[in-house]
Amino acid sequence: MTTQEEKTRRAELIAAASRLFKEQGYERTTVRDLAQAVGMQSGSLFYHFRTKEEMLVAVMAAGIGDLTDRLEEALGQAKTPMDKLRTVCRVHLDTLLGDDKGALSVLLYEWPSLSDKARAELIKLRDSYERDWQQVLDEAAAAGLVHEDTRLLRKVLLGGLHWTIMWYRPEGGGTPSDLADRILELIIRKK
Amino acid sequence: MTTQEEKTRRAELIAAASRLFKEQGYERTTVRDLAQAVGMQSGSLFYHFRTKEEMLVAVMAAGIGDLTDRLEEALGQAKTPMDKLRTVCRVHLDTLLGDDKGALSVLLYEWPSLSDKARAELIKLRDSYERDWQQVLDEAAAAGLVHEDTRLLRKVLLGGLHWTIMWYRPEGGGTPSDLADRILELIIRKK
Amino acid sequence: MTTQEEKTRRAELIAAASRLFKEQGYERTTVRDLAQAVGMQSGSLFYHFRTKEEMLVAVMAAGIGDLTDRLEEALGQAKTPMDKLRTVCRVHLDTLLGDDKGALSVLLYEWPSLSDKARAELIKLRDSYERDWQQVLDEAAAAGLVHEDTRLLRKVLLGGLHWTIMWYRPEGGGTPSDLADRILELIIRKK
Amino acid sequence: MTTQEEKTRRAELIAAASRLFKEQGYERTTVRDLAQAVGMQSGSLFYHFRTKEEMLVAVMAAGIGDLTDRLEEALGQAKTPMDKLRTVCRVHLDTLLGDDKGALSVLLYEWPSLSDKARAELIKLRDSYERDWQQVLDEAAAAGLVHEDTRLLRKVLLGGLHWTIMWYRPEGGGTPSDLADRILELIIRKK
DNA sequence: GATGAATGAGATTTCATTCAT
DNA sequence: CATGAATGAAATCTCATTCAT
């Protein structure tokens, strides 16, 4: 029960932090902003998290964990290399640009705000996500769908997708999935 | 003479700010850090710049201005669409990853730190740079070298290039120009 | 209880600020002075007041509010026009020159230190006090006690009273009430 | 010649300081404001005045000196006690409220900004002015025009006149001389 | 006489964090 | 679990003043 509520409160906090860190940036978001967003006093936050950075880490970990989960679930239903390729791109943009809290964009753009220690922890999670991507790209390359330098392709394509957050506007820009498909077109080799 | 020295001092300050903002981020760099880097007292900074943000803007304006200059000069010597394509990518990565002060990476990654007013000023400069890119991509598409959705391609390719700063390491990664060529390969259509 | 303590702490701060602003002037009083006077760190002040100016406004509002309260209470016990006339003068000088914290003299002499916004808020309070004066003077004029240009008289007499703070010395100067009576003599017509 | 120009420059500075100290207050006026108002750099001020306070003293001394001069000249032409009474009031308000630079109001309202040492110097000048007033009031009392407690009357009347600067507005308020006459009415005994 | 650059002390304010209740 | 108050270090910025040129 207590644990239940604890989980709830923590989750609320992480959701609020995601949103605020995304909107205003980590450094510019104060502990008071965070507390106010969930209706508590700033001192109370420190019952749930030991430091502000711990909140940032929690947001990021939730972001990357959630993303990986979504990806693996979606990949389970994709059969062909082409299907899988489409899936990785769509899931990435749906998560990044969809109207969820924004944990993924915090992960990307507040990376330099992390201390070295915190970074190490998160790198593992990120690597696991990128491993999934790597597999999909390798299969696609084997099928002649994309350039065979898949390690480079992974980094560049992910970079291109990440950057969409700087310019994508839902109004008149199509859905994130549409955009993912159009971007994929740019790097697909003719069959 | 006076103007000369003024330029020198201001330029020194901008160079130091570029470096520090890149290394530590804008928010985490204090005016004391900045002052110390050029050997003055923190109060003296404000003789040259009215606010810390004004320094950020100066760094960014210098970064994008310098980049545009370099690009236009280099494009003057490029003849074919393919040459031009290679040029825009190379100049971009040389500037971003080369061992200069890092003004360009500050421009990219501290964009959210700007006030709306400051942003407006810089958008003009950025647009001018992107217009050059657009022309090159349009020519390349006309020659069948790249996908014809050049507006999207511009954004995605630039995003991919921008992101290299997150993972590129000079040791064993080839030169920035090499990397530019390899990235270009990923989106070039067969001739 | 909490409210009680809150009130206490805030009141302490206002009292200290009254004294210091009176003694040294608003601009020359630092927040460190203020904090030290109540035994806290300078940063802690900003838990209670958002800015230094907010403290000035609080001092002034307390000063004028207190003065109006005293006046209205005292007027309740005055019967004749002459009694009332004596009352307004006495209350004014007792408050201004009496050994309370000095909020009223801060109100008078730091008026130009206020921002326009803050001033507007206080003008209402001041007007309410001057309305009480106006009534008393009007009654006195009707009774032939003072010159009938009561609006001018109000301003000039109040000015004369305000200015006493520049020269009144308790030692050998009589009490503030005595002084009030003597000043009143200067403008009384008919006995 | 040099002395001539020196005088000119100094006078310019004092005039500008009068105006700025009156408009913004002494503490809120920066040395840069002052310098800019006469078209020089802030460092150059210190050739003419050793400190900022020295400028304040110069403004005040000029203010009180000028006032005394005007008064003594005007008194020379006044014959009767009543004439003289009118003269002291008119000269005072003309100088205080007239559209000159405002040195007199600076004298009155920035008095607390002075260091003790500077104050001592100015007190002499002020006393000389008040002695002139005292004589006029004494004559007037002897003639039965005003209350015989002339020392108190001097202080209170001067206070009332000083305070006009807080509320007098040229538009629709009559001239300063008119106002002086009306104020005089308030304290004149029946003829 | 004047300037431009710098100084350096100090101002207000911010904010993550602590802790008694 | 939460609060309200406070801490204290540090941040940006201000400004009278100095001084070499």
Side-chain angles (χ1 to χ4, degrees):
Chain A
M1 216 103 62
T2 313
T3 318
Q4 192 65 10
E5 276 177 14
E6 161 66 12
K7 213 173 242 162
T8 306
R9 217 73 169 103
R10 229 186 112 90
E12 257 183 85
L13 241 5
I14 292 178
S18 281
R19 187 168 51 78
L20 287 170
F21 289 164
K22 180 184 172 185
E23 284 169 11
Q24 324 177 1
Y26 170 72
E27 304 272 1
R28 280 178 297 281
T29 300
T30 70
V31 165
R32 273 178 172 78
D33 291 340
L34 258 5
Q36 197 194 28
V38 297
M40 46 165 66
Q41 295 298 112
S42 67
S44 312
L45 277 185
F46 292 84
Y47 176 83
H48 301 276
F49 297 90
R50 258 190 327 246
T51 64
K52 186 186 170 194
E53 198 194 22
E54 213 172 72
M55 297 196 67
L56 178 59
V57 172
V59 165
M60 289 180 167
I64 184 72
D66 179 47
L67 178 63
T68 308
D69 290 350
R70 287 202 202 195
L71 179 59
E72 295 186 350
E73 197 196 322
L75 279 179
Q77 293 169 317
K79 301 296 173 223
T80 66
M82 189 61 206
D83 272 358
K84 292 182 182 175
L85 207 47
R86 226 180 256 120
T87 298
V88 291
C89 291
R90 285 183 179 182
V91 167
H92 197 86
L93 285 199
D94 280 347
T95 307
L96 182 63
L97 306 177
D99 65 349
D100 76 329
K101 296 88 48 165
L104 183 53
S105 94
V106 172
L107 175 72
L108 298 175
Y109 293 98
E110 297 296 348
W111 194 257
S113 300
L114 291 168
S115 67
D116 289 344
K117 217 181 86 185
R119 212 169 351 233
E121 206 182 321
L122 287 161
I123 283 181
K124 290 180 210 153
L125 296 173
R126 196 194 59 184
D127 284 352
S128 146
Y129 176 68
E130 300 212 347
R131 254 193 312 276
D132 289 341
W133 262 76
Q134 188 64 48
Q135 273 182 21
V136 169
L137 290 178
D138 285 341
E139 275 187 56
L145 291 170
V146 298
H147 194 286
E148 61 276 3
D149 187 351
T150 53
R151 304 192 77 80
L152 181 64
L153 179 60
R154 190 191 79 230
K155 289 170 186 164
V156 173
L157 180 52
L158 272 170
L161 293 174
H162 294 340
W163 201 256
T164 57
I165 205 165
M166 294 290 194
W167 54 266
Y168 172 77
R169 293 292 167 268
E171 327 83 53
T175 67
S177 282
D178 290 343
L179 181 58
D181 291 348
R182 287 175 59 211
I183 289 176
L184 197 49
E185 280 299 309
L186 300 176
I187 56 109
I188 281 289
R189 310 257 129 172
K190 270 273 117 25
K191 267 150 290 186
Chain B
M1 218 99 66
T2 313
T3 316
Q4 193 65 11
E5 275 178 16
E6 160 66 13
K7 218 173 238 161
T8 305
R9 215 70 171 104
R10 228 187 114 91
E12 256 183 86
L13 242 5
I14 291 178
S18 280
R19 187 168 50 77
L20 288 170
F21 289 165
K22 180 184 172 184
E23 282 170 15
Q24 323 177 1
Y26 171 71
E27 305 271 2
R28 279 176 299 281
T29 301
T30 71
V31 293
R32 271 183 172 77
D33 292 340
L34 258 5
Q36 199 194 27
V38 298
M40 43 165 68
Q41 297 293 113
S42 67
S44 310
L45 277 185
F46 293 86
Y47 179 80
H48 301 276
F49 296 90
R50 259 188 327 244
T51 62
K52 187 186 168 192
E53 198 195 20
E54 212 173 73
M55 296 197 67
L56 179 59
V57 172
V59 165
M60 288 180 168
I64 184 72
D66 179 47
L67 177 63
T68 308
D69 289 350
R70 287 201 201 195
L71 179 58
E72 296 185 350
E73 198 197 319
L75 279 179
Q77 293 168 316
K79 301 295 173 226
T80 67
M82 189 60 206
D83 274 357
K84 292 183 183 174
L85 208 47
R86 225 180 255 122
T87 298
V88 292
C89 291
R90 285 183 179 183
V91 167
H92 196 87
L93 285 199
D94 279 348
T95 307
L96 181 63
L97 306 177
D99 65 350
D100 75 330
K101 296 89 50 166
L104 182 54
S105 91
V106 172
L107 175 72
L108 298 175
Y109 293 98
E110 298 295 349
W111 193 257
S113 300
L114 292 168
S115 67
D116 289 346
K117 218 181 86 186
R119 219 179 333 246
E121 206 183 321
L122 288 161
I123 282 180
K124 288 179 209 152
L125 296 174
R126 195 195 59 183
D127 284 352
S128 147
Y129 177 68
E130 301 212 347
R131 254 194 311 276
D132 288 342
W133 262 78
Q134 188 63 48
Q135 274 181 19
V136 169
L137 290 178
D138 285 340
E139 277 187 55
L145 289 170
V146 297
H147 194 285
E148 61 277 359
D149 187 352
T150 53
R151 303 192 78 81
L152 181 63
L153 179 60
R154 191 192 78 230
K155 289 171 186 163
V156 173
L157 179 52
L158 272 170
L161 293 174
H162 293 340
W163 202 256
T164 57
I165 204 164
M166 293 293 194
W167 55 265
Y168 172 76
R169 294 292 167 269
E171 327 83 51
T175 68
S177 282
D178 291 342
L179 181 58
D181 291 347
R182 287 174 59 211
I183 289 177
L184 196 50
E185 280 299 310
L186 300 176
I187 56 109
I188 280 289
R189 310 258 128 171
K190 274 271 113 36
K191 268 149 286 188
Chain C
M1 220 98 66
T2 313
T3 315
Q4 193 66 9
E5 277 179 14
E6 159 67 11
K7 219 172 237 160
T8 305
R9 215 71 169 103
R10 226 187 115 90
E12 254 184 88
L13 242 4
I14 292 179
S18 280
R19 188 170 49 78
L20 289 170
F21 289 164
K22 180 184 173 185
E23 282 169 16
Q24 323 179 0
Y26 170 71
E27 306 271 2
R28 279 177 299 282
T29 301
T30 70
V31 293
R32 272 182 171 79
D33 292 339
L34 258 4
Q36 198 193 26
V38 297
M40 42 165 68
Q41 297 294 113
S42 67
S44 310
L45 277 185
F46 293 84
Y47 179 81
H48 300 278
F49 296 91
R50 258 186 329 242
T51 62
K52 187 186 169 193
E53 198 195 19
E54 212 173 74
M55 296 196 68
L56 178 58
V57 172
V59 165
M60 289 180 168
I64 184 73
D66 180 46
L67 177 63
T68 308
D69 290 350
R70 287 201 202 195
L71 179 58
E72 295 186 350
E73 198 197 319
L75 279 179
Q77 293 169 315
K79 300 296 172 226
T80 67
M82 188 61 207
D83 274 357
K84 291 183 184 173
L85 207 46
R86 226 179 255 121
T87 297
V88 291
C89 291
R90 285 183 179 183
V91 167
H92 196 86
L93 284 200
D94 280 347
T95 306
L96 181 62
L97 305 177
D99 65 349
D100 75 329
K101 295 89 49 166
L104 183 53
S105 91
V106 172
L107 175 72
L108 297 175
Y109 293 98
E110 298 296 347
W111 193 258
S113 301
L114 292 168
S115 67
D116 290 345
K117 218 180 87 187
R119 219 177 336 244
E121 206 182 320
L122 287 161
I123 283 180
K124 288 180 209 153
L125 296 174
R126 195 195 58 183
D127 284 352
S128 146
Y129 176 68
E130 301 212 346
R131 253 192 313 275
D132 288 342
W133 262 78
Q134 189 63 47
Q135 274 182 19
V136 169
L137 291 178
D138 285 341
E139 276 187 57
L145 291 170
V146 296
H147 194 285
E148 60 276 3
D149 188 352
T150 54
R151 304 193 76 83
L152 180 64
L153 179 60
R154 191 191 78 228
K155 289 172 187 164
V156 173
L157 179 51
L158 272 171
L161 293 174
H162 294 339
W163 201 256
T164 58
I165 204 165
M166 293 292 194
W167 54 267
Y168 171 77
R169 293 293 167 267
E171 327 82 52
T175 66
S177 281
D178 291 343
L179 181 58
D181 291 348
R182 288 174 58 212
I183 290 176
L184 196 50
E185 279 301 308
L186 300 176
I187 55 110
I188 280 290
R189 317 248 126 169
K190 270 286 113 22
K191 254 154 283 189
Chain D
M1 217 101 65
T2 314
T3 317
Q4 191 66 11
E5 277 177 13
E6 161 66 12
K7 214 172 239 161
T8 306
R9 217 71 171 107
R10 228 186 114 89
E12 257 183 85
L13 241 5
I14 291 179
S18 280
R19 188 169 50 77
L20 288 170
F21 289 165
K22 180 184 172 184
E23 283 169 11
Q24 324 177 0
Y26 171 70
E27 304 272 1
R28 279 178 298 282
T29 300
T30 70
V31 166
R32 275 178 171 80
D33 292 339
L34 258 5
Q36 197 195 27
V38 297
M40 45 165 65
Q41 294 299 112
S42 67
S44 313
L45 278 185
F46 292 84
Y47 177 82
H48 301 277
F49 296 91
R50 259 191 326 248
T51 64
K52 186 186 170 192
E53 198 195 22
E54 213 172 73
M55 297 197 68
L56 178 59
V57 172
V59 165
M60 289 180 167
I64 185 72
D66 178 47
L67 178 63
T68 307
D69 289 350
R70 288 202 201 196
L71 179 59
E72 296 186 349
E73 197 196 321
L75 280 178
Q77 294 170 315
K79 301 296 172 223
T80 67
M82 188 61 207
D83 273 359
K84 291 183 184 175
L85 207 46
R86 224 180 256 122
T87 299
V88 290
C89 291
R90 284 183 179 183
V91 168
H92 196 86
L93 285 199
D94 279 348
T95 308
L96 181 62
L97 306 178
D99 65 350
D100 75 329
K101 295 88 49 165
L104 183 53
S105 93
V106 172
L107 175 72
L108 298 175
Y109 293 97
E110 298 295 347
W111 195 257
S113 301
L114 291 168
S115 67
D116 290 344
K117 216 181 87 185
R119 209 162 2 227
E121 205 183 321
L122 288 161
I123 283 181
K124 289 180 210 154
L125 296 174
R126 195 194 59 182
D127 284 352
S128 147
Y129 176 68
E130 301 212 345
R131 253 191 316 274
D132 289 342
W133 263 77
Q134 188 64 49
Q135 274 183 19
V136 169
L137 290 178
D138 285 341
E139 275 188 56
L145 291 170
V146 297
H147 194 284
E148 60 277 0
D149 187 352
T150 52
R151 304 193 77 82
L152 180 64
L153 179 59
R154 190 192 78 228
K155 289 172 187 163
V156 173
L157 179 51
L158 272 170
L161 292 175
H162 293 339
W163 201 257
T164 57
I165 204 165
M166 294 291 193
W167 55 266
Y168 172 77
R169 294 291 167 268
E171 327 82 54
T175 67
S177 282
D178 291 342
L179 182 58
D181 292 347
R182 288 175 57 212
I183 288 176
L184 196 50
E185 281 298 310
L186 300 177
I187 55 108
I188 281 290
R189 309 259 128 171
K190 272 276 113 29
K191 273 150 283 189

